[in-house]
Amino acid sequence: MSAQPIPFGKSAHGLRDSQTFSSSSSVQLPRTLARPEFIEVSPVAIAAAAPELVNVPLDYIRRRLRSEAPQMMAGLSSLAPSHVPSSLPKSHLPPSLSIPLRAPPSRATPTYPTHVLAVSSSKSSHDTQAIMVPVHSLVLAAQCARLPELRTPNTAVSHTLHLPVIPMSVPSPAAFTVLRSFMYDHRLDGVLKALFPVPPSFLANLSHSAVRATMSSGPALHQLSLYLCEASGHNLQTLTTYTAHVKDLWQDMVVLGLFDSELWDTLDLAWDIVLGAMNLAVVMRQ
């Protein structure tokens, strides 16, 4: 899906509302990243992942997932790393993986993952590898409206976990790992840190309200863009790479149908920051 310039409700960093940013004759960036039409997650997908939650309100399910995040993350940490390959050839994916369990590093009682996603790029036919990402099916079913059903297997847990391997393709597997972390911990600072350098003081206790307040403050946006510009050494190529990180995250969010408002506002903030940094780098070169 390609980005299209759309009207934007404020001006910042020297760009008018509906302008595209151009760092050269070959680079055209939209002023904003368009949000797709909202789609609610499928009750059928919820039922496949957790039959006991049929007819349970979705808000309750999401609140429960947030409260149980420590147990689920403990379950992920319980998988013996040596038995979870970081990647496998797309053409030779096993139907399942048998993974020995170890004691989790936290005190939380582990809730074990249900599947391993074999995530590959939908943009590159030359990418022959799929990264292997353990997940809990309910976490994805409750937050991603465009994913197929992931039926939770009835697997007895002993000292080894047997997880089905599910092939999946997204525009950016690297961006998917960022989104997977967010779907568990809902940390906005983690999302921003994965995209480009951000002042540690800004990331401390970052909340949704702080994100929204920053987006409405020209001086605050300017300071964050200036920090990024200086962190990149005023290098447009480096800043273009950071821009690609944000756009990759946006494309994956669209494909997954991930409509979390906190995440979308953070994405908008990241786009404002990186466009402002590129604008400053261009001005400093003149």
Side-chain angles (χ1 to χ4, degrees):
M1 184 177 218
S2 299
Q4 297 294 329
I6 61 173
F8 195 64
K10 63 178 182 293
S11 298
H13 313 332
L15 290 173
R16 292 190 299 275
D17 288 350
S18 58
Q19 271 186 309
T20 58
F21 174 84
S22 177
S23 63
S24 71
S25 59
S26 62
V27 178
Q28 292 276 332
L29 299 174
R31 177 64 187 89
T32 59
L33 297 176
R35 299 192 186 190
E37 183 179 357
F38 175 81
I39 301 173
E40 189 54 275
V41 300
S42 165
V44 175
I46 295 288
E52 72 278 11
L53 297 178
V54 172
N55 299 324
V56 174
L58 186 56
D59 286 345
Y60 172 83
I61 294 173
R62 287 172 173 157
R63 287 196 301 271
R64 183 181 122 176
L65 286 173
R66 288 204 181 204
S67 69
E68 294 179 358
Q71 294 96 309
M72 291 187 291
M73 295 176 77
L76 293 171
S77 299
S78 298
L79 305 183
S82 59
H83 287 76
V84 184
S86 58
S87 65
L88 288 173
K90 289 195 298 184
S91 58
H92 293 86
L93 293 175
S96 64
L97 289 176
S98 296
I99 306 171
L101 296 174
R102 61 176 185 172
S106 71
R107 293 174 178 259
T109 301
T111 301
Y112 298 112
T114 58
H115 298 78
V116 175
L117 300 181
V119 185
S120 60
S121 172
S122 61
K123 295 196 295 187
S124 173
S125 58
H126 302 294
D127 187 0
T128 61
Q129 296 289 308
I131 64 171
M132 310 303 286
V133 186
V135 296
H136 296 76
S137 58
L138 183 59
V139 170
L140 272 67
Q143 299 180 78
C144 299
R146 299 187 185 276
L147 279 186
E149 298 170 27
L150 291 176
R151 191 168 299 278
T152 299
N154 295 318
T155 304
V157 176
S158 55
H159 297 294
T160 301
L161 201 59
H162 304 282
L163 299 180
V165 173
I166 308 297
M168 186 176 81
S169 105
V170 294
S172 170
F176 178 81
T177 64
V178 177
L179 295 174
R180 179 257 212 168
S181 294
F182 174 81
M183 283 188 272
Y184 282 92
D185 63 26
H186 293 272
R187 291 188 55 169
L188 302 178
D189 61 325
V191 174
L192 282 180
K193 281 194 297 186
L195 299 174
F196 48 65
V198 185
S201 58
F202 179 73
L203 294 175
N205 302 312
L206 183 64
S207 65
H208 188 202
S209 60
V211 167
R212 293 182 64 85
T214 304
M215 289 174 64
S216 63
S217 170
L221 283 171
H222 176 78
Q223 287 301 314
L224 290 169
S225 292
L226 182 61
Y227 180 93
L228 180 58
C229 183
E230 292 177 344
S232 72
H234 308 154
N235 187 302
L236 276 173
Q237 184 174 355
T238 301
L239 291 171
T240 299
T241 299
Y242 295 149
T243 303
H245 291 170
V246 182
K247 194 171 181 181
D248 284 347
L249 196 76
W250 168 72
Q251 289 179 320
D252 277 12
M253 288 166 62
V254 171
V255 167
L256 294 171
L258 187 50
F259 292 102
D260 186 285
S261 60
E262 296 183 12
L263 182 61
W264 274 100
D265 285 345
T266 303
L267 180 80
D268 288 343
L269 174 61
W271 192 246
D272 270 1
I273 292 170
V274 75
L275 286 191
M278 293 189 76
N279 195 45
L280 288 169
V282 169
V283 170
M284 290 175 182
R285 293 177 64 178
Q286 293 175 347

